[in-house]
C-alpha cells in the first residue's frame, strides 16, 4: 500500500502542470520615476516621529531614510503648496526628493 502511494505521488509530480513555473518567472513592470531634479528643500523640521518639509519647485516623491527603514511618500498624499508632513517610525537620517541628491540630516 505504501509502495502504491509512492508510485501515485511520483506520477502526480510527473504530470503536474508546468504553467505555475512560468507565472513565477514573470518580471514586474518597472515604475517610471522622474529623471531630473526640479525641486529644492528650503526648510526641514524634525521630531522623533515626524518630518516637516518646505519645498520649492515641482516634486513627485519624497524618500525618508531612517534606521528602521526607508519610506517613500507621494507629494500629493502628504501635503500641498510646498508644505509636507511625513510620519516616520523613528528619527529621520536623510531625505531625497525625486532624483535629487540625498540631504543628510545628521
Amino acid at each position: 500500500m505504501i509502495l502504491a502511494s509512492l508510485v501515485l505521488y511520483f506520477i502526480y509530480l510527473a504530470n503536474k502542470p508546468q504553467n505555475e513555473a512560468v507565472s513565477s518567472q514573470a518580471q514586474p513592470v518597472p515604475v517610471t520615476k522622474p529623471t531630473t531634479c526640479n525641486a529644492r528643500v528650503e526648510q526641514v523640521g524634525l521630531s522623533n516621529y515626524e518630518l516637516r518639509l518646505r519645498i520649492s519647485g515641482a516634486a513627485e516623491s519624497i524618500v525618508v531614510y531612517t534606521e528602521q527603514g526607508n519610506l517613500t511618500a507621494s507629494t500629493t498624499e502628504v501635503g500641498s503648496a510646498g508644505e509636507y508632513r511625513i510620519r516616520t517610525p523613528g528619527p529621520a537620517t536623510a531625505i531625497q526628493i525625486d532624483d535629487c541628491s540625498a540631504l543628510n540630516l545628521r
Side-chain angles (χ1 to χ4, degrees), residues 38-43 53-59 61-62 75 81-84 97:
N38 295 325
R40 191 184 80 186
V41 176
E42 292 182 347
Q43 188 177 18
L53 295 173
R54 182 173 295 172
I55 298 173
S56 65
S61 65
I62 301 169
T75 55
E83 306 249 347
Y84 304 96
I97 312 282

Side-chain angles (χ1 to χ4, degrees), residues 1 8 11-12 15-16 19 23 26 32-34 36 39 49 56-57 68 70-71 74 81-82 84 89 98 104-105:
M1 190 151 193
L8 289 175
I11 291 173
Y12 168 75
N15 293 328
K16 188 175 177 181
N19 61 359
S23 64
T32 58
K33 284 190 163 184
T36 59
Y49 298 102
S56 65
Q68 290 77 16
N70 304 339
L71 299 170
S74 171
Y84 304 96
D98 292 340
N104 191 2
L105 300 176

Side-chain angles (χ1 to χ4, degrees), residues 86-106:
I86 303 167
R87 298 223 181 255
T88 61
T93 58
I95 57 172
Q96 183 176 5
I97 312 282
D98 292 340
D99 286 339
C100 300
S101 57
L103 175 63
N104 191 2
L105 300 176
R106 286 189 171 185

Side-chain angles (χ1 to χ4, degrees), residues 6-39:
L6 288 173
V7 170
L8 289 175
Y9 176 71
F10 286 115
I11 291 173
Y12 168 75
L13 287 179
N15 293 328
K16 188 175 177 181
Q18 297 299 324
N19 61 359
E20 294 175 15
V22 173
S23 64
S24 67
Q25 294 175 359
Q27 297 293 325
V29 178
V31 177
T32 58
K33 284 190 163 184
T35 57
T36 59
C37 180
N38 295 325

